[in-house]
Amino acid sequence: MGAGALALLPRGLAHGFVVTSPQARFLTLHTPGGGFDEFVAEMGVPLTGSDPAQAGPGPDPEELTRIAASHGIRIVGPPLLP
């Protein structure tokens, strides 16, 4: 998908994405009730203050998979390369 594009994915559809540019900005909207909102609340790190978020090493893949499964989410990646 290019700039200005829209993708609509129904709940339960396996999917993935790959960022192919040096910088990406995107907006995702999720409806409650599918488990993703609780997953993000558990895995997310609150942003404090006005400083930009710093990239880190990310979660352990096994822990991420386990926590996702506890919210009814199945990790199907890593995504295919472009």
Side-chain angles (χ1 to χ4, degrees):
M1 301 199 54
L6 168 73
L8 176 62
L9 303 173
R11 180 176 291 159
L13 178 68
H15 62 280
F17 68 93
V18 175
V19 177
T20 59
S21 64
Q23 181 181 23
R25 294 186 337 176
F26 54 91
L27 172 68
T28 62
L29 301 174
H30 304 270
T31 57
F36 188 74
D37 49 343
E38 291 93 0
F39 169 67
V40 171
E42 183 170 347
M43 289 300 302
V45 177
L47 182 62
T48 57
S50 60
D51 293 333
Q54 299 297 313
D60 173 70
E62 289 182 12
E63 178 186 17
L64 180 70
T65 299
R66 180 185 57 74
I67 292 173
S70 76
H71 293 285
I73 298 167
R74 185 170 59 101
I75 304 293
V76 296
L80 299 174
L81 295 175

XYZ file of all heavy atoms in Angstrom:
583
model
N 0.850 -1.175 0.000
C 0.000 0.000 0.000
C 0.892 1.233 0.000
O 1.914 1.256 0.660
C -0.888 -0.022 1.226
C -1.755 -1.262 1.286
S -3.170 -1.114 2.356
C -3.942 0.323 1.745
N 0.483 2.230 -0.713
C 1.244 3.465 -0.788
C 0.624 4.555 0.052
O -0.357 4.342 0.776
N 1.194 5.737 -0.063
C 0.721 6.895 0.694
C -0.764 7.140 0.429
O -1.222 7.066 -0.712
C 1.532 8.124 0.305
N -1.505 7.391 1.489
C -2.925 7.692 1.379
C -3.817 6.486 1.212
O -5.028 6.624 1.098
N -3.266 5.287 1.206
C -4.060 4.079 0.995
C -4.773 3.663 2.278
O -4.389 4.048 3.379
C -3.170 2.947 0.498
N -5.786 2.847 2.137
C -6.575 2.346 3.251
C -6.703 0.837 3.133
O -6.953 0.316 2.047
C -7.977 2.973 3.218
C -9.011 2.348 4.152
C -8.711 2.739 5.590
C -10.402 2.782 3.751
N -6.517 0.145 4.237
C -6.748 -1.300 4.270
C -7.770 -1.571 5.359
O -7.657 -1.066 6.473
C -5.460 -2.048 4.566
N -8.768 -2.354 5.047
C -9.792 -2.736 6.012
C -9.707 -4.245 6.181
O -9.886 -5.002 5.220
C -11.187 -2.337 5.514
C -12.348 -2.769 6.389
C -12.255 -2.122 7.768
C -13.665 -2.404 5.725
N -9.396 -4.680 7.389
C -9.231 -6.105 7.660
C -10.280 -6.552 8.669
O -10.350 -6.001 9.770
C -7.840 -6.389 8.215
C -6.673 -5.937 7.344
C -5.364 -6.110 8.080
C -6.671 -6.697 6.043
N -11.081 -7.546 8.331
C -12.069 -8.030 9.290
C -11.395 -8.775 10.443
O -10.308 -9.332 10.287
C -12.943 -8.976 8.463
C -12.110 -9.374 7.309
C -11.150 -8.243 7.060
N -12.052 -8.769 11.584
C -11.540 -9.469 12.762
C -11.295 -10.935 12.421
O -12.069 -11.568 11.726
C -12.557 -9.359 13.900
C -12.111 -10.046 15.172
C -13.083 -9.831 16.292
N -13.023 -8.426 16.666
C -13.982 -7.781 17.308
N -15.084 -8.391 17.644
N -13.841 -6.518 17.611
N -10.164 -11.448 12.893
C -9.844 -12.855 12.723
C -9.060 -13.180 11.462
O -8.671 -14.323 11.270
N -8.816 -12.195 10.607
C -8.065 -12.437 9.376
C -6.571 -12.365 9.662
O -6.072 -11.355 10.168
C -8.435 -11.384 8.328
C -7.696 -11.482 7.000
C -8.124 -12.733 6.252
C -7.960 -10.249 6.162
N -5.836 -13.428 9.365
C -4.386 -13.416 9.550
C -3.780 -12.403 8.581
O -4.168 -12.348 7.417
C -3.811 -14.798 9.301
N -2.847 -11.587 9.082
C -2.250 -10.553 8.240
C -0.893 -10.145 8.795
O -0.519 -10.518 9.895
C -3.170 -9.326 8.152
C -3.401 -8.679 9.487
N -4.315 -9.171 10.392
C -2.823 -7.609 10.072
C -4.291 -8.415 11.481
N -3.394 -7.463 11.324
N -0.164 -9.387 8.027
C 1.123 -8.851 8.439
C 1.464 -7.672 7.559
O 0.762 -7.385 6.587
N 2.525 -6.967 7.909
C 2.970 -5.855 7.082
C 4.471 -5.707 7.189
O 5.081 -6.159 8.144
C 2.266 -4.544 7.445
C 2.628 -4.006 8.803
C 3.667 -3.089 8.946
C 1.941 -4.410 9.926
C 4.011 -2.595 10.196
C 2.275 -3.919 11.177
C 3.313 -3.012 11.304
N 5.051 -5.082 6.190
C 6.479 -4.810 6.152
C 6.646 -3.352 5.760
O 6.046 -2.900 4.784
C 7.200 -5.702 5.117
C 8.668 -5.326 5.011
C 7.053 -7.164 5.475
N 7.432 -2.602 6.519
C 7.743 -1.219 6.172
C 8.927 -1.240 5.216
O 9.984 -1.772 5.543
C 8.070 -0.382 7.428
C 8.471 1.032 7.045
C 6.872 -0.372 8.371
N 8.747 -0.672 4.023
C 9.791 -0.723 3.001
C 10.473 0.623 2.780
O 11.316 0.747 1.903
C 9.211 -1.212 1.658
O 8.171 -0.310 1.251
C 8.664 -2.621 1.791
N 10.112 1.618 3.578
C 10.745 2.930 3.453
C 11.536 3.221 4.720
O 11.326 2.587 5.748
C 9.678 4.008 3.228
O 8.838 4.097 4.368
N 12.465 4.201 4.659
C 13.263 4.522 5.851
C 12.417 5.082 6.997
O 12.809 5.019 8.149
C 14.259 5.566 5.373
C 14.128 5.658 3.899
C 12.874 4.968 3.497
N 11.252 5.623 6.681
C 10.388 6.213 7.708
C 8.948 5.897 7.350
O 8.575 5.926 6.176
C 10.589 7.721 7.771
C 9.741 8.395 8.823
C 9.953 9.894 8.847
O 10.368 10.480 7.872
N 9.660 10.519 9.961
N 8.156 5.587 8.331
C 6.749 5.297 8.086
C 5.898 5.934 9.179
O 6.294 5.965 10.344
C 6.512 3.799 8.051
N 4.761 6.457 8.770
C 3.766 6.956 9.717
C 2.446 6.338 9.307
O 2.083 6.341 8.135
C 3.664 8.476 9.669
C 4.913 9.144 10.143
C 4.818 10.641 10.250
N 3.806 11.244 9.426
C 3.527 12.540 9.453
N 4.171 13.331 10.247
N 2.586 13.030 8.676
N 1.760 5.771 10.291
C 0.482 5.156 9.971
C -0.437 5.229 11.170
O 0.000 5.410 12.302
C 0.645 3.718 9.477
C 1.433 2.822 10.397
C 0.807 2.069 11.371
C 2.807 2.744 10.279
C 1.537 1.248 12.212
C 3.543 1.912 11.107
C 2.905 1.169 12.076
N -1.706 5.102 10.906
C -2.738 5.139 11.925
C -3.500 3.832 11.848
O -3.904 3.408 10.762
C -3.685 6.319 11.664
C -4.940 6.393 12.520
C -4.576 6.684 13.977
C -5.871 7.472 11.981
N -3.665 3.180 12.971
C -4.480 1.973 13.005
C -5.642 2.203 13.961
O -5.482 2.841 15.009
C -3.682 0.734 13.452
O -3.212 0.939 14.781
C -2.524 0.455 12.529
N -6.783 1.708 13.601
C -7.977 1.774 14.446
C -8.424 0.349 14.712
O -8.484 -0.474 13.800
C -9.098 2.552 13.743
C -8.767 3.986 13.348
C -9.903 4.591 12.545
C -8.466 4.833 14.563
N -8.750 0.078 15.964
C -9.167 -1.262 16.359
C -10.445 -1.155 17.163
O -10.554 -0.290 18.032
C -8.091 -1.934 17.231
C -6.759 -1.976 16.572
N -6.370 -3.029 15.792
C -5.738 -1.091 16.545
C -5.157 -2.794 15.322
N -4.753 -1.623 15.770
N -11.394 -2.019 16.878
C -12.616 -2.035 17.665
C -12.406 -2.933 18.880
O -11.717 -3.953 18.785
C -13.805 -2.540 16.836
O -13.501 -3.830 16.326
C -14.113 -1.596 15.688
N -12.965 -2.561 20.015
C -12.785 -3.386 21.216
C -13.531 -4.709 21.090
O -14.431 -4.866 20.280
C -13.355 -2.513 22.332
C -14.269 -1.560 21.656
C -13.758 -1.368 20.263
N -13.127 -5.654 21.915
C -13.835 -6.915 21.981
C -13.115 -8.081 21.347
O -13.497 -9.222 21.544
N -12.067 -7.830 20.577
C -11.347 -8.922 19.945
C -10.121 -9.367 20.706
O -9.440 -10.301 20.308
N -9.781 -8.695 21.786
C -8.616 -9.049 22.583
C -7.395 -8.194 22.300
O -6.477 -8.142 23.111
N -7.362 -7.517 21.146
C -6.176 -6.740 20.798
C -5.977 -5.567 21.748
O -4.840 -5.256 22.115
C -6.257 -6.242 19.353
C -4.984 -5.591 18.887
C -3.876 -6.356 18.584
C -4.883 -4.206 18.772
C -2.685 -5.766 18.167
C -3.710 -3.611 18.358
C -2.606 -4.396 18.053
N -7.060 -4.921 22.180
C -6.925 -3.784 23.089
C -6.303 -4.204 24.415
O -5.404 -3.532 24.935
C -8.265 -3.075 23.299
C -9.418 -4.002 23.640
O -9.309 -5.234 23.412
O -10.450 -3.497 24.113
N -6.709 -5.358 24.954
C -6.112 -5.848 26.197
C -4.657 -6.267 25.991
O -3.819 -6.082 26.864
C -6.915 -7.023 26.758
C -8.292 -6.644 27.274
C -9.374 -6.809 26.222
O -9.048 -7.221 25.081
O -10.540 -6.533 26.534
N -4.361 -6.840 24.823
C -2.986 -7.224 24.491
C -2.079 -5.994 24.484
O -0.998 -5.997 25.082
C -2.973 -7.927 23.132
C -1.603 -8.142 22.556
C -0.698 -9.011 23.156
C -1.212 -7.486 21.406
C 0.564 -9.216 22.620
C 0.044 -7.692 20.856
C 0.927 -8.553 21.471
N -2.511 -4.927 23.834
C -1.716 -3.695 23.778
C -1.551 -3.105 25.172
O -0.462 -2.657 25.540
C -2.349 -2.679 22.810
C -1.673 -1.314 22.911
C -2.291 -3.188 21.381
N -2.609 -3.124 25.971
C -2.517 -2.590 27.333
C -1.493 -3.368 28.157
O -0.749 -2.789 28.945
C -3.888 -2.633 28.007
N -1.419 -4.680 27.962
C -0.455 -5.496 28.721
C 0.965 -5.341 28.201
O 1.923 -5.249 28.965
C -0.858 -6.971 28.680
C 0.066 -7.841 29.503
C -0.437 -9.260 29.688
O -1.613 -9.545 29.388
O 0.364 -10.091 30.143
N 1.142 -5.291 26.882
C 2.481 -5.249 26.295
C 3.030 -3.836 26.145
O 4.241 -3.651 26.075
C 2.484 -5.911 24.908
C 2.332 -7.403 24.934
S 3.623 -8.280 25.845
C 5.107 -7.770 25.008
N 2.157 -2.853 26.082
C 2.596 -1.489 25.816
C 3.357 -0.865 26.972
O 3.283 -1.317 28.115
N 4.082 0.176 26.655
C 4.816 0.951 27.650
C 4.283 2.378 27.579
O 4.379 3.020 26.526
C 6.338 0.937 27.360
C 7.086 1.799 28.362
C 6.871 -0.481 27.352
N 3.700 2.874 28.665
C 3.143 4.231 28.621
C 4.222 5.269 28.318
O 5.360 5.168 28.789
C 2.582 4.441 30.031
C 2.429 3.068 30.599
C 3.492 2.239 29.959
N 3.859 6.242 27.522
C 4.752 7.350 27.209
C 4.579 8.399 28.296
O 3.458 8.802 28.609
C 4.392 7.935 25.838
C 5.266 9.066 25.337
C 6.709 8.608 25.165
C 4.720 9.592 24.019
N 5.668 8.805 28.908
C 5.594 9.812 29.966
C 6.307 11.069 29.509
O 7.317 11.011 28.796
C 6.240 9.290 31.266
O 7.587 8.926 31.009
C 5.488 8.079 31.794
N 5.785 12.207 29.902
C 6.409 13.471 29.532
C 6.201 13.785 28.064
O 5.395 13.176 27.368
N 6.970 14.728 27.575
C 6.818 15.159 26.187
C 7.966 14.700 25.295
O 7.994 15.026 24.116
C 6.713 16.687 26.139
O 7.883 17.266 26.695
N 8.913 13.940 25.847
C 10.027 13.443 25.037
C 9.542 12.355 24.087
O 8.690 11.540 24.449
C 11.135 12.879 25.925
C 11.816 13.955 26.750
O 11.826 15.121 26.295
O 12.321 13.633 27.831
N 10.072 12.308 22.881
C 9.688 11.235 21.948
C 10.077 9.861 22.493
O 11.036 9.731 23.252
C 10.493 11.545 20.684
C 11.028 12.919 20.849
C 11.044 13.226 22.309
N 9.328 8.866 22.096
C 9.634 7.491 22.507
C 10.963 7.062 21.898
O 11.296 7.448 20.787
C 8.521 6.562 22.055
N 11.701 6.278 22.633
C 12.987 5.762 22.161
C 12.819 4.302 21.772
O 12.181 3.527 22.476
C 14.052 5.893 23.257
C 14.316 7.313 23.690
C 14.876 8.158 22.556
O 15.787 7.753 21.855
N 14.309 9.336 22.364
N 13.409 3.926 20.652
C 13.355 2.523 20.226
C 14.188 1.681 21.172
O 15.227 2.100 21.649
C 13.863 2.390 18.798
N 13.726 0.504 21.440
C 14.452 -0.411 22.300
C 14.566 -1.763 21.630
O 14.214 -1.919 20.460
N 15.020 -2.746 22.368
C 15.207 -4.063 21.784
C 13.895 -4.784 21.474
O 13.871 -5.736 20.731
C 16.008 -4.817 22.846
C 15.658 -4.130 24.118
C 15.439 -2.687 23.753
N 12.798 -4.332 22.038
C 11.520 -5.002 21.813
C 11.352 -6.188 22.738
O 12.291 -6.611 23.411
N 10.150 -6.743 22.776
C 9.891 -7.861 23.683
C 10.523 -9.154 23.178
O 10.800 -9.313 21.992
C 8.359 -7.967 23.673
C 7.966 -7.426 22.343
C 8.973 -6.344 22.025
N 10.723 -10.066 24.090
C 11.189 -11.398 23.747
C 10.113 -12.072 22.885
O 8.937 -12.083 23.271
C 11.419 -12.192 25.034
C 11.745 -13.645 24.770
O 12.849 -13.911 24.258
O 10.883 -14.488 25.065
N 10.470 -12.619 21.718
C 9.458 -13.212 20.835
C 8.620 -14.314 21.494
O 7.419 -14.412 21.246
C 10.283 -13.773 19.671
C 11.520 -12.948 19.656
C 11.798 -12.622 21.099
N 9.239 -15.133 22.335
C 8.471 -16.185 23.008
C 7.467 -15.594 23.985
O 6.334 -16.066 24.080
C 9.413 -17.159 23.709
C 10.183 -18.037 22.744
C 11.087 -19.036 23.451
O 10.963 -19.209 24.684
O 11.920 -19.643 22.758
N 7.882 -14.562 24.729
C 6.964 -13.908 25.662
C 5.834 -13.227 24.902
O 4.668 -13.312 25.284
C 7.706 -12.886 26.528
C 6.778 -12.153 27.479
C 7.460 -11.035 28.245
O 8.559 -10.598 27.846
O 6.876 -10.580 29.236
N 6.176 -12.549 23.811
C 5.172 -11.878 22.986
C 4.135 -12.886 22.480
O 2.928 -12.650 22.560
C 5.847 -11.179 21.804
C 4.933 -10.447 20.851
C 4.346 -9.209 21.515
C 5.681 -10.060 19.592
N 4.588 -14.023 21.991
C 3.692 -15.062 21.479
C 2.797 -15.603 22.582
O 1.595 -15.805 22.385
C 4.517 -16.191 20.831
O 5.267 -15.637 19.750
C 3.628 -17.303 20.310
N 3.376 -15.830 23.760
C 2.608 -16.363 24.897
C 1.537 -15.371 25.337
O 0.374 -15.737 25.538
C 3.541 -16.682 26.064
C 2.847 -17.237 27.300
C 3.803 -17.417 28.467
N 4.505 -16.216 28.869
C 3.956 -15.191 29.538
N 2.690 -15.240 29.888
N 4.680 -14.150 29.879
N 1.909 -14.098 25.493
C 0.952 -13.087 25.940
C -0.120 -12.862 24.874
O -1.302 -12.726 25.194
C 1.678 -11.790 26.324
C 2.515 -12.044 27.588
C 0.698 -10.651 26.536
C 3.420 -10.910 27.987
N 0.272 -12.842 23.608
C -0.713 -12.695 22.531
C -1.737 -13.822 22.601
O -2.951 -13.584 22.512
C -0.010 -12.668 21.178
N -1.259 -15.053 22.773
C -2.164 -16.202 22.836
C -3.143 -16.079 23.999
O -4.306 -16.486 23.878
C -1.363 -17.496 22.943
N -2.692 -15.500 25.108
C -3.589 -15.340 26.257
C -4.715 -14.356 25.974
O -5.701 -14.313 26.699
C -2.791 -14.914 27.502
O -2.429 -13.544 27.433
N -4.597 -13.581 24.891
C -5.638 -12.629 24.475
C -6.327 -13.076 23.187
O -6.996 -12.286 22.524
C -5.026 -11.235 24.287
C -4.546 -10.641 25.564
N -5.378 -10.115 26.529
C -3.286 -10.521 26.076
C -4.671 -9.682 27.549
N -3.393 -9.930 27.303
N -6.130 -14.335 22.816
C -6.794 -14.864 21.633
C -6.146 -14.454 20.319
O -6.771 -14.505 19.267
N -4.872 -14.056 20.370
C -4.157 -13.594 19.181
C -3.076 -14.611 18.844
O -2.340 -15.057 19.723
C -3.518 -12.208 19.427
C -4.616 -11.190 19.723
C -2.656 -11.780 18.260
C -4.094 -9.881 20.286
N -2.956 -14.951 17.564
C -1.929 -15.889 17.122
C -0.917 -15.117 16.274
O -1.264 -14.487 15.287
C -2.542 -17.008 16.297
C -1.559 -18.079 15.898
C -2.259 -19.286 15.290
N -3.027 -18.932 14.117
C -2.640 -19.129 12.867
N -1.478 -19.699 12.623
N -3.409 -18.797 11.860
N 0.351 -15.142 16.689
C 1.420 -14.488 15.922
C 1.706 -15.369 14.710
O 2.031 -16.545 14.845
C 2.690 -14.311 16.784
C 2.391 -13.531 18.072
C 3.805 -13.665 15.967
C 2.018 -12.086 17.879
N 1.617 -14.793 13.502
C 1.808 -15.565 12.280
C 3.061 -15.162 11.522
O 3.306 -15.646 10.442
C 0.583 -15.448 11.334
C -0.645 -16.049 11.988
C 0.335 -14.005 10.940
N 3.897 -14.311 12.097
C 5.087 -13.802 11.412
C 6.294 -14.668 11.664
O 6.164 -15.760 12.212
N 7.463 -14.213 11.285
C 7.681 -12.861 10.794
C 7.094 -12.673 9.397
O 6.913 -13.647 8.667
C 9.201 -12.723 10.752
C 9.704 -14.112 10.608
C 8.691 -14.996 11.323
N 6.794 -11.410 9.059
C 6.213 -11.165 7.736
C 7.204 -11.476 6.629
O 8.412 -11.494 6.849
C 5.858 -9.677 7.770
C 6.713 -9.099 8.834
C 6.969 -10.198 9.828
N 6.671 -11.714 5.449
C 7.510 -11.945 4.287
C 8.258 -10.683 3.929
O 7.761 -9.577 4.127
C 6.657 -12.385 3.099
C 5.874 -13.676 3.302
C 4.962 -13.898 2.109
C 6.819 -14.844 3.477
N 9.447 -10.827 3.411
C 10.212 -9.659 2.971
C 9.661 -9.174 1.638
O 9.139 -9.962 0.861
C 11.689 -10.021 2.856
C 12.367 -10.388 4.173
C 13.785 -10.855 3.921
C 12.351 -9.235 5.141
N 9.785 -7.873 1.370
C 9.234 -7.332 0.117
C 9.978 -7.864 -1.100
O 11.079 -8.299 -1.037
C 9.429 -5.838 0.248
C 10.436 -5.631 1.314
C 10.440 -6.879 2.165
